[in-house]
Amino acid sequence: MERHATIADVAALAGVSVGTASKALNGRGSLREETRMRVREAARQLSFEANAGARSLHSGRTYTVGMITTDTIGRFSIPVLMGAEDALGAGEMSVFLCDGRDDPIREQYYVKTLLSRRVDGMIVTGRRTEARAPIGANLPVPVVYAFISSADPGDCSVVPDEAGGARKAVEHLLAVGRTRIAHITGPEHHNSARVRAAAATERLAEDGLSLVAPPLFGGWSEVWGRQAVGILLAGRTEFDAVFCGSDQIARGVCDALRAAGRRVPQDVALIGFDNWDVMTEACQPPLTSIDLDLEGLGRSAAQMLLAAINGSPSPGRHAHPCRLVVRESTVRESTTVLLP
Amino acid sequence: MERHATIADVAALAGVSVGTASKALNGRGSLREETRMRVREAARQLSFEANAGARSLHSGRTYTVGMITTDTIGRFSIPVLMGAEDALGAGEMSVFLCDGRDDPIREQYYVKTLLSRRVDGMIVTGRRTEARAPIGANLPVPVVYAFISSADPGDCSVVPDEAGGARKAVEHLLAVGRTRIAHITGPEHHNSARVRAAAATERLAEDGLSLVAPPLFGGWSEVWGRQAVGILLAGRTEFDAVFCGSDQIARGVCDALRAAGRRVPQDVALIGFDNWDVMTEACQPPLTSIDLDLEGLGRSAAQMLLAAINGSPSPGRHAHPCRLVVRESTVRESTTVLLP
DNA sequence: ATGAAAGCGCTAACAG
DNA sequence: CTGTTAGCGCTTTCAT
């Protein structure tokens, strides 16, 4: 295990001063081409990599951003994280990852750590779309909230347009000729469940319609989806479509409907939410769903952060549009189609 | 947005020299308690956080490790990552995350980036358990491979004991009285599929038994699980248990068996692999599975890295044991039981 | 075109 | 007990 070479080692090997070596390596100043090459060769030979910490003492920048997940890293934070990593990587920035584990103490510890490492900015993300307390007041670096949002309306937050997504779901069901729509979703204390239910109701009202029954709030799981169908069938309500708050619920609904002898989509059109491949593909038939475009959201958040770092912040709450992805649970024989 | 305060600012505000301020803040040297408090108070007032980069110029350490995923971050790398983050966090270390995206160029770029940032060590992980080319030769910092392994047997790799896991699965089926066991698994070109199939076969042979049919290689999906049951039923082979290479396959198998009128577990005992909650919980009945303990694996890898950083490397390949998790797909009416 | 020297923020000797 | 000084690795004037 070799030691790290310093620029002094390189200079010595090339027979020049450190100042010259620095210029040669960074393409500054005016040097003889021959000298430049000699230094470059020495650096290569020693596997020299400039010490970023020392370097940032001058530039004041670290080309690093911190990413804090408030709760545990999971299915929702990953795509956000990847999208952000993508956009930041293009800007030659690295990402520090910090897993908050729903622990405010841990979170504050990480904020301090990131600040001491002089990150150029921070992205805060999490599993729920609920607004949360700002991660700190008057921080010396810009912060962007992605997926979750900050309770301070002056902070920059990028959130999925869940209401818009729910409206798209309803519009699609209407477009394929369904009017007797039921809604099965997650726990009422989840912001997402409430927002989506409200938006669906509202969109139906615009066409003079309403849900065939009040929204069924429960859990986000397949098990709940199956139970909910039981409840729906036990009531005498007729329905020709079900809009579900998650793909897992939809999958459960689908299985239960089939077990009860109802065909999807002929008798009942079915649409989920999240566009989670594991569920949409395994569902019989494949499931139409609403995609949150989390990767795009993460990318967008990162771009706003980069802009803020460069002096052009985008304060406020930014809604990132959802996408409808049509599959056979709403339209027979369709090949998969993406609509904007 | 305030600027970062320097220790000079703190010293000035407290009316002492920077040297004294440094000692006060780090608890070194001998200072009057009053002075120490005065400096601390000044630091607090200015929200001073020592510049980690400048600090590491002296210590030579950054208290940072880099984590590179060879392929994209996903369901398998997350728990590894979290386990590692856990163990490293306890050692006051931060994690740099780099997403390799299966691109060797990208990967090498990240290795350089991490080295220039003077990480104290690196963890390399990925989605497949296959051995991969070392990430670099003769690097100046220790490297541990987690989940995946390095092709160089001298490198430190921590991998799940998949063969042991497959043996546990078979032993459990034998323990609940099944002897006519089928095996449905992923693509044959996947190392995991081959290893698990071979180990299952071998374990049966130790009891003078064999699989009722050659392993059915296909995909890792539910769809393939359902298809495979069709194949199995079309042949005239009798079977009283199915060991599946993944939980998704098992879930598909379960659905198809039920559709064919076979009861799980009465007619056919069913066991999966991965212990992925989404599948094991939604399966009817809940699915017995083999848990790779990826979080423990990540933790273990991180501990080895910490040890290596402190001068005690653990070269070679280390197998991390799998755990059997019993649910109702193999045992009726059981509450969930964990076996070692 | 090149070298010498100052300084980024911090710590650690060494004086006083 | 406290201040001064040197130096970590690098960049950037300013001389030469």
Side-chain angles (χ1 to χ4, degrees), chain A residues 16-17 20 23 30 32 35 57-58:
Chain A
V16 297
S17 72
T20 306
K23 284 171 216 154
S30 48
R32 227 173 9 179
T35 315
L57 279 187
H58 295 269

PDB file of all heavy atoms in Angstrom, chain A residues 16-17 20 23 30 32 35 57-58, chain C residues 1-10:
ATOM      1  N   VAL A  16      11.424  20.314 -11.149  1.00  0.00           N
ATOM      2  CA  VAL A  16      10.933  21.697 -11.215  1.00  0.00           C
ATOM      3  C   VAL A  16      10.459  22.112  -9.816  1.00  0.00           C
ATOM      4  O   VAL A  16      10.463  21.306  -8.888  1.00  0.00           O
ATOM      5  CB  VAL A  16       9.750  21.840 -12.193  1.00  0.00           C
ATOM      6  CG1 VAL A  16      10.177  21.502 -13.615  1.00  0.00           C
ATOM      7  CG2 VAL A  16       8.586  20.949 -11.768  1.00  0.00           C
ATOM      8  N   SER A  17      10.033  23.346  -9.674  1.00  0.00           N
ATOM      9  CA  SER A  17       9.503  23.780  -8.380  1.00  0.00           C
ATOM     10  C   SER A  17       8.027  23.388  -8.269  1.00  0.00           C
ATOM     11  O   SER A  17       7.383  23.095  -9.277  1.00  0.00           O
ATOM     12  CB  SER A  17       9.624  25.291  -8.260  1.00  0.00           C
ATOM     13  OG  SER A  17       8.683  25.905  -9.112  1.00  0.00           O
ATOM     14  N   THR A  20       5.673  25.528 -10.388  1.00  0.00           N
ATOM     15  CA  THR A  20       5.667  25.122 -11.793  1.00  0.00           C
ATOM     16  C   THR A  20       4.846  23.851 -11.992  1.00  0.00           C
ATOM     17  O   THR A  20       4.061  23.725 -12.930  1.00  0.00           O
ATOM     18  CB  THR A  20       7.102  24.890 -12.274  1.00  0.00           C
ATOM     19  OG1 THR A  20       7.867  26.063 -12.009  1.00  0.00           O
ATOM     20  CG2 THR A  20       7.122  24.595 -13.757  1.00  0.00           C
ATOM     21  N   LYS A  23       1.204  24.622 -11.977  1.00  0.00           N
ATOM     22  CA  LYS A  23       0.763  25.212 -13.246  1.00  0.00           C
ATOM     23  C   LYS A  23       0.674  24.163 -14.343  1.00  0.00           C
ATOM     24  O   LYS A  23      -0.294  24.103 -15.103  1.00  0.00           O
ATOM     25  CB  LYS A  23       1.743  26.310 -13.668  1.00  0.00           C
ATOM     26  CG  LYS A  23       1.586  27.587 -12.878  1.00  0.00           C
ATOM     27  CD  LYS A  23       2.718  28.554 -13.190  1.00  0.00           C
ATOM     28  CE  LYS A  23       3.124  29.344 -11.951  1.00  0.00           C
ATOM     29  NZ  LYS A  23       4.509  29.807 -12.015  1.00  0.00           N
ATOM     30  N   SER A  30       2.156  30.167 -18.289  1.00  0.00           N
ATOM     31  CA  SER A  30       2.743  29.785 -19.576  1.00  0.00           C
ATOM     32  C   SER A  30       4.039  28.994 -19.322  1.00  0.00           C
ATOM     33  O   SER A  30       4.950  29.478 -18.667  1.00  0.00           O
ATOM     34  CB  SER A  30       3.034  31.023 -20.419  1.00  0.00           C
ATOM     35  OG  SER A  30       3.720  32.004 -19.676  1.00  0.00           O
ATOM     36  N   ARG A  32       6.834  25.885 -20.960  1.00  0.00           N
ATOM     37  CA  ARG A  32       7.296  25.212 -22.163  1.00  0.00           C
ATOM     38  C   ARG A  32       6.553  23.877 -22.262  1.00  0.00           C
ATOM     39  O   ARG A  32       6.352  23.193 -21.254  1.00  0.00           O
ATOM     40  CB  ARG A  32       8.795  24.956 -22.066  1.00  0.00           C
ATOM     41  CG  ARG A  32       9.524  25.366 -23.333  1.00  0.00           C
ATOM     42  CD  ARG A  32      10.984  25.263 -23.170  1.00  0.00           C
ATOM     43  NE  ARG A  32      11.350  24.591 -21.921  1.00  0.00           N
ATOM     44  CZ  ARG A  32      12.586  24.363 -21.564  1.00  0.00           C
ATOM     45  NH1 ARG A  32      13.580  24.741 -22.343  1.00  0.00           N
ATOM     46  NH2 ARG A  32      12.872  23.765 -20.433  1.00  0.00           N
ATOM     47  N   THR A  35       8.286  21.004 -20.589  1.00  0.00           N
ATOM     48  CA  THR A  35       8.198  20.985 -19.131  1.00  0.00           C
ATOM     49  C   THR A  35       6.869  20.398 -18.684  1.00  0.00           C
ATOM     50  O   THR A  35       6.796  19.528 -17.826  1.00  0.00           O
ATOM     51  CB  THR A  35       8.308  22.415 -18.574  1.00  0.00           C
ATOM     52  OG1 THR A  35       9.362  23.093 -19.235  1.00  0.00           O
ATOM     53  CG2 THR A  35       8.546  22.382 -17.086  1.00  0.00           C
ATOM     54  N   LEU A  57      -8.988  24.683   0.181  1.00  0.00           N
ATOM     55  CA  LEU A  57      -8.637  25.780   1.079  1.00  0.00           C
ATOM     56  C   LEU A  57      -8.586  27.084   0.290  1.00  0.00           C
ATOM     57  O   LEU A  57      -8.918  28.145   0.806  1.00  0.00           O
ATOM     58  CB  LEU A  57      -7.277  25.514   1.717  1.00  0.00           C
ATOM     59  CG  LEU A  57      -7.254  24.575   2.922  1.00  0.00           C
ATOM     60  CD1 LEU A  57      -5.875  24.553   3.531  1.00  0.00           C
ATOM     61  CD2 LEU A  57      -8.267  25.030   3.957  1.00  0.00           C
ATOM     62  N   HIS A  58      -8.167  26.985  -0.939  1.00  0.00           N
ATOM     63  CA  HIS A  58      -8.076  28.195  -1.774  1.00  0.00           C
ATOM     64  C   HIS A  58      -9.392  28.510  -2.445  1.00  0.00           C
ATOM     65  O   HIS A  58      -9.917  29.598  -2.337  1.00  0.00           O
ATOM     66  CB  HIS A  58      -7.014  28.001  -2.851  1.00  0.00           C
ATOM     67  CG  HIS A  58      -5.662  27.865  -2.299  1.00  0.00           C
ATOM     68  ND1 HIS A  58      -4.827  28.924  -2.095  1.00  0.00           N
ATOM     69  CD2 HIS A  58      -5.012  26.773  -1.855  1.00  0.00           C
ATOM     70  CE1 HIS A  58      -3.706  28.502  -1.557  1.00  0.00           C
ATOM     71  NE2 HIS A  58      -3.789  27.195  -1.410  1.00  0.00           N
TER      72      HIS A  58
ATOM     73  P    DA C   1       6.743  31.241 -22.319  1.00  0.00           P
ATOM     74  OP1  DA C   1       6.663  30.902 -23.739  1.00  0.00           O
ATOM     75  OP2  DA C   1       5.537  31.628 -21.549  1.00  0.00           O
ATOM     76  O5'  DA C   1       7.468  30.087 -21.481  1.00  0.00           O
ATOM     77  C5'  DA C   1       8.582  29.386 -21.965  1.00  0.00           C
ATOM     78  C4'  DA C   1       9.524  29.209 -20.810  1.00  0.00           C
ATOM     79  O4'  DA C   1       9.690  30.496 -20.144  1.00  0.00           O
ATOM     80  C3'  DA C   1       9.022  28.224 -19.758  1.00  0.00           C
ATOM     81  O3'  DA C   1      10.126  27.421 -19.348  1.00  0.00           O
ATOM     82  C2'  DA C   1       8.524  29.122 -18.616  1.00  0.00           C
ATOM     83  C1'  DA C   1       9.432  30.345 -18.750  1.00  0.00           C
ATOM     84  N9   DA C   1       8.773  31.591 -18.337  1.00  0.00           N
ATOM     85  C8   DA C   1       7.625  32.134 -18.820  1.00  0.00           C
ATOM     86  N7   DA C   1       7.303  33.275 -18.262  1.00  0.00           N
ATOM     87  C5   DA C   1       8.308  33.498 -17.335  1.00  0.00           C
ATOM     88  C6   DA C   1       8.555  34.539 -16.422  1.00  0.00           C
ATOM     89  N6   DA C   1       7.759  35.601 -16.288  1.00  0.00           N
ATOM     90  N1   DA C   1       9.665  34.448 -15.643  1.00  0.00           N
ATOM     91  C2   DA C   1      10.474  33.385 -15.799  1.00  0.00           C
ATOM     92  N3   DA C   1      10.344  32.343 -16.634  1.00  0.00           N
ATOM     93  C4   DA C   1       9.234  32.462 -17.372  1.00  0.00           C
ATOM     94  P    DT C   2       9.923  26.207 -18.432  1.00  0.00           P
ATOM     95  OP1  DT C   2      10.996  25.233 -18.677  1.00  0.00           O
ATOM     96  OP2  DT C   2       8.515  25.829 -18.543  1.00  0.00           O
ATOM     97  O5'  DT C   2      10.159  26.854 -17.009  1.00  0.00           O
ATOM     98  C5'  DT C   2      11.461  26.832 -16.463  1.00  0.00           C
ATOM     99  C4'  DT C   2      11.502  27.694 -15.237  1.00  0.00           C
ATOM    100  O4'  DT C   2      10.634  28.825 -15.372  1.00  0.00           O
ATOM    101  C3'  DT C   2      11.015  27.017 -13.951  1.00  0.00           C
ATOM    102  O3'  DT C   2      12.161  26.537 -13.267  1.00  0.00           O
ATOM    103  C2'  DT C   2      10.285  28.123 -13.183  1.00  0.00           C
ATOM    104  C1'  DT C   2      10.469  29.340 -14.074  1.00  0.00           C
ATOM    105  N1   DT C   2       9.348  30.311 -14.096  1.00  0.00           N
ATOM    106  C2   DT C   2       9.426  31.425 -13.291  1.00  0.00           C
ATOM    107  O2   DT C   2      10.350  31.670 -12.546  1.00  0.00           O
ATOM    108  N3   DT C   2       8.355  32.281 -13.405  1.00  0.00           N
ATOM    109  C4   DT C   2       7.240  32.125 -14.226  1.00  0.00           C
ATOM    110  O4   DT C   2       6.343  32.956 -14.244  1.00  0.00           O
ATOM    111  C5   DT C   2       7.225  30.935 -15.030  1.00  0.00           C
ATOM    112  C7   DT C   2       6.081  30.668 -15.936  1.00  0.00           C
ATOM    113  C6   DT C   2       8.279  30.078 -14.929  1.00  0.00           C
ATOM    114  P    DG C   3      11.985  25.778 -11.869  1.00  0.00           P
ATOM    115  OP1  DG C   3      13.168  24.891 -11.691  1.00  0.00           O
ATOM    116  OP2  DG C   3      10.624  25.239 -11.818  1.00  0.00           O
ATOM    117  O5'  DG C   3      12.105  26.969 -10.824  1.00  0.00           O
ATOM    118  C5'  DG C   3      13.246  27.807 -10.882  1.00  0.00           C
ATOM    119  C4'  DG C   3      13.167  28.847  -9.786  1.00  0.00           C
ATOM    120  O4'  DG C   3      12.098  29.783 -10.097  1.00  0.00           O
ATOM    121  C3'  DG C   3      12.840  28.289  -8.398  1.00  0.00           C
ATOM    122  O3'  DG C   3      13.607  28.998  -7.438  1.00  0.00           O
ATOM    123  C2'  DG C   3      11.357  28.575  -8.246  1.00  0.00           C
ATOM    124  C1'  DG C   3      11.218  29.883  -8.997  1.00  0.00           C
ATOM    125  N9   DG C   3       9.895  30.112  -9.563  1.00  0.00           N
ATOM    126  C8   DG C   3       9.175  29.249 -10.354  1.00  0.00           C
ATOM    127  N7   DG C   3       8.019  29.737 -10.746  1.00  0.00           N
ATOM    128  C5   DG C   3       7.978  31.009 -10.164  1.00  0.00           C
ATOM    129  C6   DG C   3       6.967  31.999 -10.236  1.00  0.00           C
ATOM    130  O6   DG C   3       5.893  31.949 -10.840  1.00  0.00           O
ATOM    131  N1   DG C   3       7.313  33.138  -9.505  1.00  0.00           N
ATOM    132  C2   DG C   3       8.490  33.276  -8.808  1.00  0.00           C
ATOM    133  N2   DG C   3       8.649  34.433  -8.166  1.00  0.00           N
ATOM    134  N3   DG C   3       9.452  32.358  -8.741  1.00  0.00           N
ATOM    135  C4   DG C   3       9.126  31.245  -9.440  1.00  0.00           C
ATOM    136  P    DA C   4      13.699  28.505  -5.939  1.00  0.00           P
ATOM    137  OP1  DA C   4      15.088  28.091  -5.690  1.00  0.00           O
ATOM    138  OP2  DA C   4      12.588  27.552  -5.719  1.00  0.00           O
ATOM    139  O5'  DA C   4      13.356  29.816  -5.106  1.00  0.00           O
ATOM    140  C5'  DA C   4      13.409  31.100  -5.735  1.00  0.00           C
ATOM    141  C4'  DA C   4      12.681  32.116  -4.856  1.00  0.00           C
ATOM    142  O4'  DA C   4      11.355  32.356  -5.400  1.00  0.00           O
ATOM    143  C3'  DA C   4      12.467  31.694  -3.415  1.00  0.00           C
ATOM    144  O3'  DA C   4      12.543  32.861  -2.609  1.00  0.00           O
ATOM    145  C2'  DA C   4      11.076  31.078  -3.432  1.00  0.00           C
ATOM    146  C1'  DA C   4      10.368  31.963  -4.462  1.00  0.00           C
ATOM    147  N9   DA C   4       9.337  31.292  -5.229  1.00  0.00           N
ATOM    148  C8   DA C   4       9.351  30.006  -5.717  1.00  0.00           C
ATOM    149  N7   DA C   4       8.284  29.683  -6.411  1.00  0.00           N
ATOM    150  C5   DA C   4       7.508  30.835  -6.367  1.00  0.00           C
ATOM    151  C6   DA C   4       6.252  31.143  -6.911  1.00  0.00           C
ATOM    152  N6   DA C   4       5.528  30.280  -7.637  1.00  0.00           N
ATOM    153  N1   DA C   4       5.769  32.384  -6.687  1.00  0.00           N
ATOM    154  C2   DA C   4       6.503  33.248  -5.974  1.00  0.00           C
ATOM    155  N3   DA C   4       7.693  33.073  -5.408  1.00  0.00           N
ATOM    156  C4   DA C   4       8.141  31.827  -5.656  1.00  0.00           C
ATOM    157  P    DA C   5      12.284  32.789  -1.031  1.00  0.00           P
ATOM    158  OP1  DA C   5      13.126  33.848  -0.444  1.00  0.00           O
ATOM    159  OP2  DA C   5      12.383  31.386  -0.549  1.00  0.00           O
ATOM    160  O5'  DA C   5      10.761  33.252  -0.941  1.00  0.00           O
ATOM    161  C5'  DA C   5      10.356  34.430  -1.646  1.00  0.00           C
ATOM    162  C4'  DA C   5       8.937  34.784  -1.242  1.00  0.00           C
ATOM    163  O4'  DA C   5       8.007  34.021  -2.042  1.00  0.00           O
ATOM    164  C3'  DA C   5       8.597  34.446   0.214  1.00  0.00           C
ATOM    165  O3'  DA C   5       7.651  35.390   0.664  1.00  0.00           O
ATOM    166  C2'  DA C   5       7.975  33.073   0.106  1.00  0.00           C
ATOM    167  C1'  DA C   5       7.173  33.241  -1.177  1.00  0.00           C
ATOM    168  N9   DA C   5       6.856  32.011  -1.879  1.00  0.00           N
ATOM    169  C8   DA C   5       7.539  30.820  -1.868  1.00  0.00           C
ATOM    170  N7   DA C   5       7.002  29.885  -2.615  1.00  0.00           N
ATOM    171  C5   DA C   5       5.888  30.501  -3.158  1.00  0.00           C
ATOM    172  C6   DA C   5       4.903  30.052  -4.040  1.00  0.00           C
ATOM    173  N6   DA C   5       4.870  28.823  -4.555  1.00  0.00           N
ATOM    174  N1   DA C   5       3.938  30.942  -4.386  1.00  0.00           N
ATOM    175  C2   DA C   5       3.969  32.181  -3.869  1.00  0.00           C
ATOM    176  N3   DA C   5       4.858  32.714  -3.037  1.00  0.00           N
ATOM    177  C4   DA C   5       5.783  31.816  -2.718  1.00  0.00           C
ATOM    178  P    DA C   6       7.282  35.513   2.213  1.00  0.00           P
ATOM    179  OP1  DA C   6       8.032  36.684   2.695  1.00  0.00           O
ATOM    180  OP2  DA C   6       7.431  34.196   2.873  1.00  0.00           O
ATOM    181  O5'  DA C   6       5.737  35.883   2.185  1.00  0.00           O
ATOM    182  C5'  DA C   6       5.209  36.597   1.062  1.00  0.00           C
ATOM    183  C4'  DA C   6       3.735  36.243   0.896  1.00  0.00           C
ATOM    184  O4'  DA C   6       3.609  35.008   0.135  1.00  0.00           O
ATOM    185  C3'  DA C   6       3.016  36.003   2.219  1.00  0.00           C
ATOM    186  O3'  DA C   6       1.726  36.579   2.128  1.00  0.00           O
ATOM    187  C2'  DA C   6       2.947  34.482   2.324  1.00  0.00           C
ATOM    188  C1'  DA C   6       2.763  34.117   0.854  1.00  0.00           C
ATOM    189  N9   DA C   6       3.143  32.755   0.508  1.00  0.00           N
ATOM    190  C8   DA C   6       4.204  32.024   0.983  1.00  0.00           C
ATOM    191  N7   DA C   6       4.301  30.821   0.460  1.00  0.00           N
ATOM    192  C5   DA C   6       3.230  30.761  -0.420  1.00  0.00           C
ATOM    193  C6   DA C   6       2.770  29.750  -1.283  1.00  0.00           C
ATOM    194  N6   DA C   6       3.374  28.561  -1.408  1.00  0.00           N
ATOM    195  N1   DA C   6       1.677  30.015  -2.029  1.00  0.00           N
ATOM    196  C2   DA C   6       1.085  31.209  -1.899  1.00  0.00           C
ATOM    197  N3   DA C   6       1.422  32.243  -1.123  1.00  0.00           N
ATOM    198  C4   DA C   6       2.507  31.948  -0.406  1.00  0.00           C
ATOM    199  P    DG C   7       0.859  36.797   3.445  1.00  0.00           P
ATOM    200  OP1  DG C   7       0.261  38.142   3.371  1.00  0.00           O
ATOM    201  OP2  DG C   7       1.646  36.373   4.622  1.00  0.00           O
ATOM    202  O5'  DG C   7      -0.302  35.724   3.244  1.00  0.00           O
ATOM    203  C5'  DG C   7      -1.078  35.740   2.050  1.00  0.00           C
ATOM    204  C4'  DG C   7      -1.922  34.486   2.026  1.00  0.00           C
ATOM    205  O4'  DG C   7      -1.070  33.368   1.645  1.00  0.00           O
ATOM    206  C3'  DG C   7      -2.531  34.106   3.392  1.00  0.00           C
ATOM    207  O3'  DG C   7      -3.870  33.727   3.195  1.00  0.00           O
ATOM    208  C2'  DG C   7      -1.689  32.938   3.843  1.00  0.00           C
ATOM    209  C1'  DG C   7      -1.394  32.287   2.501  1.00  0.00           C
ATOM    210  N9   DG C   7      -0.303  31.342   2.489  1.00  0.00           N
ATOM    211  C8   DG C   7       0.846  31.347   3.254  1.00  0.00           C
ATOM    212  N7   DG C   7       1.634  30.331   3.000  1.00  0.00           N
ATOM    213  C5   DG C   7       0.962  29.616   2.012  1.00  0.00           C
ATOM    214  C6   DG C   7       1.309  28.411   1.340  1.00  0.00           C
ATOM    215  O6   DG C   7       2.315  27.730   1.484  1.00  0.00           O
ATOM    216  N1   DG C   7       0.338  28.031   0.406  1.00  0.00           N
ATOM    217  C2   DG C   7      -0.822  28.743   0.156  1.00  0.00           C
ATOM    218  N2   DG C   7      -1.640  28.236  -0.759  1.00  0.00           N
ATOM    219  N3   DG C   7      -1.162  29.861   0.782  1.00  0.00           N
ATOM    220  C4   DG C   7      -0.228  30.239   1.685  1.00  0.00           C
ATOM    221  P    DC C   8      -4.897  33.913   4.367  1.00  0.00           P
ATOM    222  OP1  DC C   8      -5.484  35.257   4.209  1.00  0.00           O
ATOM    223  OP2  DC C   8      -4.242  33.521   5.624  1.00  0.00           O
ATOM    224  O5'  DC C   8      -6.012  32.838   4.067  1.00  0.00           O
ATOM    225  C5'  DC C   8      -6.608  32.665   2.795  1.00  0.00           C
ATOM    226  C4'  DC C   8      -6.963  31.206   2.616  1.00  0.00           C
ATOM    227  O4'  DC C   8      -5.773  30.489   2.221  1.00  0.00           O
ATOM    228  C3'  DC C   8      -7.397  30.538   3.923  1.00  0.00           C
ATOM    229  O3'  DC C   8      -8.828  30.596   4.021  1.00  0.00           O
ATOM    230  C2'  DC C   8      -6.916  29.093   3.773  1.00  0.00           C
ATOM    231  C1'  DC C   8      -5.867  29.154   2.649  1.00  0.00           C
ATOM    232  N1   DC C   8      -4.473  28.746   3.037  1.00  0.00           N
ATOM    233  C2   DC C   8      -3.852  27.695   2.359  1.00  0.00           C
ATOM    234  O2   DC C   8      -4.478  27.109   1.464  1.00  0.00           O
ATOM    235  N3   DC C   8      -2.582  27.334   2.702  1.00  0.00           N
ATOM    236  C4   DC C   8      -1.948  27.999   3.679  1.00  0.00           C
ATOM    237  N4   DC C   8      -0.707  27.618   3.980  1.00  0.00           N
ATOM    238  C5   DC C   8      -2.574  29.088   4.369  1.00  0.00           C
ATOM    239  C6   DC C   8      -3.823  29.415   4.021  1.00  0.00           C
ATOM    240  P    DG C   9      -9.516  31.015   5.357  1.00  0.00           P
ATOM    241  OP1  DG C   9     -10.948  31.194   5.071  1.00  0.00           O
ATOM    242  OP2  DG C   9      -8.724  32.116   5.934  1.00  0.00           O
ATOM    243  O5'  DG C   9      -9.317  29.748   6.290  1.00  0.00           O
ATOM    244  C5'  DG C   9     -10.014  28.548   5.975  1.00  0.00           C
ATOM    245  C4'  DG C   9      -9.631  27.495   6.979  1.00  0.00           C
ATOM    246  O4'  DG C   9      -8.234  27.182   6.821  1.00  0.00           O
ATOM    247  C3'  DG C   9      -9.803  27.909   8.436  1.00  0.00           C
ATOM    248  O3'  DG C   9     -10.487  26.868   9.104  1.00  0.00           O
ATOM    249  C2'  DG C   9      -8.390  28.095   8.947  1.00  0.00           C
ATOM    250  C1'  DG C   9      -7.618  27.114   8.084  1.00  0.00           C
ATOM    251  N9   DG C   9      -6.218  27.459   7.878  1.00  0.00           N
ATOM    252  C8   DG C   9      -5.677  28.716   7.750  1.00  0.00           C
ATOM    253  N7   DG C   9      -4.385  28.698   7.551  1.00  0.00           N
ATOM    254  C5   DG C   9      -4.046  27.344   7.545  1.00  0.00           C
ATOM    255  C6   DG C   9      -2.791  26.716   7.369  1.00  0.00           C
ATOM    256  O6   DG C   9      -1.700  27.240   7.170  1.00  0.00           O
ATOM    257  N1   DG C   9      -2.904  25.321   7.429  1.00  0.00           N
ATOM    258  C2   DG C   9      -4.073  24.642   7.629  1.00  0.00           C
ATOM    259  N2   DG C   9      -3.991  23.325   7.655  1.00  0.00           N
ATOM    260  N3   DG C   9      -5.255  25.227   7.799  1.00  0.00           N
ATOM    261  C4   DG C   9      -5.167  26.569   7.740  1.00  0.00           C
ATOM    262  P    DC C  10     -10.689  26.899  10.689  1.00  0.00           P
ATOM    263  OP1  DC C  10     -11.932  26.176  11.004  1.00  0.00           O
ATOM    264  OP2  DC C  10     -10.478  28.259  11.162  1.00  0.00           O
ATOM    265  O5'  DC C  10      -9.488  25.979  11.172  1.00  0.00           O
ATOM    266  C5'  DC C  10      -9.514  24.605  10.818  1.00  0.00           C
ATOM    267  C4'  DC C  10      -8.187  23.976  11.150  1.00  0.00           C
ATOM    268  O4'  DC C  10      -7.144  24.749  10.556  1.00  0.00           O
ATOM    269  C3'  DC C  10      -7.845  23.937  12.635  1.00  0.00           C
ATOM    270  O3'  DC C  10      -8.183  22.650  13.153  1.00  0.00           O
ATOM    271  C2'  DC C  10      -6.350  24.170  12.691  1.00  0.00           C
ATOM    272  C1'  DC C  10      -5.959  24.441  11.242  1.00  0.00           C
ATOM    273  N1   DC C  10      -5.037  25.590  11.095  1.00  0.00           N
ATOM    274  C2   DC C  10      -3.686  25.347  10.908  1.00  0.00           C
ATOM    275  O2   DC C  10      -3.287  24.176  10.895  1.00  0.00           O
ATOM    276  N3   DC C  10      -2.839  26.392  10.756  1.00  0.00           N
ATOM    277  C4   DC C  10      -3.306  27.632  10.777  1.00  0.00           C
ATOM    278  N4   DC C  10      -2.432  28.634  10.609  1.00  0.00           N
ATOM    279  C5   DC C  10      -4.689  27.914  10.967  1.00  0.00           C
ATOM    280  C6   DC C  10      -5.514  26.873  11.131  1.00  0.00           C
TER     281       DC C  10
END
